[in-house]
Amino acid sequence: MRWALVRVSLAVTTMVVLAFAVPLGLVIQEMARDRAFSNAERQAAAIGPTLSITTDRRQLERAVASTQAGAAGRMAVHVPASDETGGQDLEIGTRRATVRDLATTQRIGRASITDVTDGSALLQPTALSSGKIAIVEVYVPEDEVGNGVTTAWLVLAGVGVALVVGSVAVADRLGVRMVRPAQRLAGAAHDLGEGQLGARVPEEGPTELRSAAVAFNSMADQVVQLLANERELAADLSHRLRTPLTVLRLNAASLGTGPAADQTRAAVEQLEREVDTIIRTAREAKPQTQATGPGAGCDVSEVVRERMEFWSALAEDEGRKVRLAGVDRPVRIPVARPELAAALDALLGNVFRHTPEGTAFSLDVHTGDDAVIVLVSDAGPGIADPEAAMARGNSGARDGSTGLGLDIVRRVAESTGGDVRIGHSVLGGTEVRIWIGLGRVAQRPQGRLGHRTNRRRKGGSGNRRGAEV
């Protein structure tokens, strides 16, 4: 838009300058020519009184020499033969015009201009006392005819260039005044789309852009309010779970001792912690998965060991073989500890829920320069349609499934610039790969996992042969 305005201004100004400068230059050229021949006429008229009195050569030579043109050798006097000239034509000075031009001027009896070598000649007829016509010839060089014309053209060209440059500069400033508010509006819209809810636009610029800025800021405020209402609603709904959880915890306390009772109480405590985490997260301005500075996030190895220790007891009861690898050294990732734990529990819970007892599974952590990959693999029947499994809300036919298990995992990965993919594991079943970025976008190999989440599509949940948690 800015450059379009500049181009239009350049074209219009150029046309205006040409429309005025070219005719003005031609007028100046004609004025210079008229000035030169007017001066020649004055020079020729200065000889007229002398010719009307006498045709004596000496007196005429003195009269010619007294003029500026005569002193410069550019004047000649042609007197026809008469008794005063001894019956012969009298010529004083250097003749440049042809005899034919002189005869034509004597016949018509008025001044004329004829072209000669390197210039022009003014032929001025003058009546003599004898009744005959003498011709005064004044030579006008070409450079005198064009005297000052070149300078005038240069001045006009300079003025034209200055006008064009000035108009372009003014158009550029006007374009900036119009374009910058539009750019700020586009940038704020992009920031809002990226999740920066504090993006606002200064209400300035042309009237239309100010109106657009007011509308955008109002829309952004409404979006923030709607999200705040949604967070409060999620927090309120989660808070309602505390009463039945309290009853469940009291009932679990009366179960006595034993592995099953301990596992039940541990599960209730874990559920209470998760509800508290949901309430806190819903009422925070930013998701917990966003790192807030140095040291933010958690140690993926520590969280993986902790969750595997929790699930290993149930795996032992069901006769499942478990393999854990890649957690021998600490690796920090920009994900909050509760978020990562929730993602791991969702995946491991799927293994126990949707594979037969005795099915082996493994959890591997691979660390790279740009990312950390967490692989959860099993030897179960696999997922018939991995693409459909990533669709949010696809809970399948199993009772009690909310269809949000893989959506939790997806949000954790995408909060770091990563993603989630589903494929076939080396154990023969399903492999879920969580790609967690460590600060910059890494180049992701496709490998054998051809199904991944779509970041532009909301949600991501999976099912095994029909459902996921």
Side-chain angles (χ1 to χ4, degrees):
M1 180 179 179
R2 172 184 176 186
W3 295 116
L5 184 61
V6 170
R7 288 194 294 269
V8 171
S9 176
L10 177 62
V12 172
T13 306
T14 301
M15 289 189 294
V16 171
V17 168
L18 291 177
F20 282 92
V22 173
L24 184 59
L26 295 177
V27 169
I28 292 175
Q29 185 175 349
E30 189 63 26
M31 290 176 60
R33 178 181 175 85
D34 293 342
R35 183 178 64 249
F37 286 106
S38 296
N39 183 53
E41 289 179 357
R42 287 194 299 271
Q43 298 287 326
I47 305 299
T50 304
L51 285 172
S52 64
I53 297 173
T54 181
T55 56
D56 182 67
R57 175 181 287 276
R58 290 184 179 181
Q59 291 182 7
L60 291 176
E61 288 178 349
R62 284 197 298 269
V64 169
S66 65
T67 63
Q68 181 181 359
R74 295 185 299 179
M75 179 180 285
V77 179
H78 309 283
V79 181
S82 64
D83 294 339
E84 294 179 1
T85 60
Q88 294 182 351
D89 292 340
L90 177 63
E91 287 193 1
I92 299 173
T94 303
R95 178 175 61 85
R96 291 179 174 82
T98 64
V99 175
R100 188 175 184 177
D101 291 334
L102 294 175
T104 301
T105 303
Q106 285 178 338
R107 185 177 69 253
I108 63 178
R110 63 174 181 270
S112 64
I113 299 173
T114 183
D115 294 332
V116 298
T117 305
D118 297 331
S120 302
L122 172 67
L123 303 179
Q124 179 68 49
T126 303
L128 301 177
S129 57
S130 61
K132 294 187 177 182
I133 302 297
I135 303 298
V136 179
E137 177 186 344
V138 180
Y139 170 65
V140 181
E142 189 66 33
D143 56 352
E144 186 174 335
V145 173
N147 186 26
V149 175
T150 301
T151 302
W153 278 109
L154 292 177
V155 171
L156 289 175
V159 172
V161 171
L163 288 175
V164 171
V165 172
S167 67
V168 169
V170 172
D172 182 69
R173 292 300 91 196
L174 291 176
V176 169
R177 183 173 177 269
M178 295 177 62
V179 170
R180 283 183 178 173
Q183 291 176 337
R184 285 195 292 265
L185 180 60
H190 178 75
D191 293 340
L192 185 64
E194 293 293 328
Q196 300 181 23
L197 301 182
R200 296 295 184 274
V201 183
E203 298 173 2
E204 58 187 18
T207 304
E208 295 79 4
L209 292 177
R210 285 201 303 270
S211 300
V214 171
F216 175 83
N217 292 338
S218 176
M219 178 194 69
D221 293 338
Q222 292 180 9
V223 169
V224 171
Q225 184 61 42
L226 289 174
L227 290 177
N229 294 339
E230 290 294 330
R231 287 195 298 267
E232 288 299 323
L233 178 60
D236 292 343
L237 293 176
S238 301
H239 193 272
R240 296 178 185 179
L241 296 175
R242 287 189 171 182
T243 299
L245 279 176
T246 301
V247 176
L248 185 60
R249 179 168 54 82
L250 294 176
N251 292 337
S254 63
L255 293 177
T257 59
D262 293 340
Q263 291 176 8
T264 301
R265 284 189 287 268
V268 172
E269 292 176 358
Q270 176 67 20
L271 185 57
E272 288 182 331
R273 288 195 298 270
E274 294 298 334
V275 170
D276 292 339
T277 299
I278 292 174
I279 296 174
R280 288 195 304 270
T281 302
R283 288 177 174 169
E284 286 181 356
K286 292 184 179 181
Q288 292 186 7
T289 52
Q290 297 292 335
T292 58
C298 66
D299 180 3
V300 63
S301 299
E302 180 182 352
V303 176
V304 168
R305 288 195 301 267
E306 175 186 311
R307 301 320 301 157
M308 284 297 292
E309 182 179 355
F310 173 81
W311 289 98
S312 61
L314 182 58
E316 184 177 354
D317 291 343
E318 294 186 357
R320 298 176 182 267
K321 294 183 179 179
V322 180
R323 183 177 65 85
L324 179 63
V327 293
D328 52 341
R329 62 186 183 90
V331 179
R332 296 202 65 82
I333 58 174
V335 177
R337 185 187 187 94
E339 297 292 325
L340 179 60
L344 293 175
D345 287 343
L347 293 179
L348 295 175
N350 286 340
V351 174
F352 282 88
R353 180 182 293 247
H354 303 298
T355 61
E357 293 187 10
T359 301
F361 67 93
S362 65
L363 200 157
D364 303 282
V365 178
H366 301 276
T367 304
D369 294 335
D370 300 323
V372 171
I373 300 175
V374 179
L375 299 177
V376 178
S377 307
D378 63 59
I383 298 178
D385 190 354
E387 188 70 23
M390 299 306 301
R392 180 182 175 90
N394 187 8
S395 59
R398 290 183 180 273
D399 296 333
S401 175
T402 63
L404 300 179
L406 284 178
D407 186 59
I408 296 174
V409 180
R410 178 190 62 80
R411 285 187 285 108
V412 169
E414 291 186 356
S415 69
T416 66
D419 61 15
V420 178
R421 303 179 189 177
I422 299 177
H424 299 287
S425 72
V426 295
L427 299 179
T430 301
E431 178 180 88
V432 179
R433 174 183 294 183
I434 310 174
W435 188 289
I436 300 174
L438 296 180
R440 60 181 183 274
V441 178
Q443 185 67 31
R444 302 174 180 83
Q446 291 295 332
R448 66 181 184 278
L449 297 180
H451 302 279
R452 53 178 295 180
T453 60
N454 187 345
R455 298 186 189 178
R456 297 293 182 186
R457 182 182 61 205
K458 290 184 179 180
S461 177
N463 61 38
R464 293 177 185 271
R465 304 172 70 179
E468 281 290 355
V469 178

